[in-house]
Amino acid sequence: AMSLEAVLGELKSSALARIAAAATLEELDAVRVEALGRKGILASAGKEMAKVPAAERAAMGKLLNAVKSELESALEARKK
């Protein structure tokens, strides 16, 4: 199994690529929901946090938040 870190890295690069490729606001929104929505990929990664050893949890939480804000900024930038 891939580490949570690897999964987040993967998620970030594929989401950023899809944000860059989105031609319409609908497509952008679909990426947003899939990545950042309540049932989205980041939300399920967040649930995986419970399995992360306590010692690594803070670092993973930071990483999760960093990915989230990077994707949010990319989405905002594309909307303009």
Side-chain angles (χ1 to χ4, degrees), residues 30-47:
V31 181
R32 186 185 61 76
V33 170
E34 199 174 300
L36 302 170
R38 268 208 315 262
K39 297 192 174 120
I41 307 170
L42 277 180
S44 42
K47 293 195 187 87

Side-chain angles (χ1 to χ4, degrees), residues 16 19 28 69-79:
L16 286 173
I19 290 166
L28 269 183
S69 49
E70 195 171 336
L71 295 182
E72 282 167 353
S73 322
L75 283 162
E76 277 310 303
R78 278 304 311 274
K79 278 185 185 155

Side-chain angles (χ1 to χ4, degrees), residues 12-61:
K12 185 176 83 171
S13 46
S14 88
L16 286 173
R18 288 182 54 200
I19 290 166
T24 63
L25 283 175
E26 285 75 25
E27 284 175 31
L28 269 183
D29 209 50
V31 181
R32 186 185 61 76
V33 170
E34 199 174 300
L36 302 170
R38 268 208 315 262
K39 297 192 174 120
I41 307 170
L42 277 180
S44 42
K47 293 195 187 87
E48 291 295 307
M49 291 288 283
K51 298 176 193 157
V52 174
E56 292 164 32
R57 208 167 287 156
M60 281 300 136

Side-chain angles (χ1 to χ4, degrees), residues 3-9 12 42 49 56-70:
S3 69
L4 190 54
E5 205 166 347
V7 170
L8 286 172
K12 185 176 83 171
L42 277 180
M49 291 288 283
E56 292 164 32
R57 208 167 287 156
M60 281 300 136
K62 274 201 186 102
L63 187 62
L64 196 69
N65 288 331
V67 170
K68 190 175 178 180
S69 49
E70 195 171 336

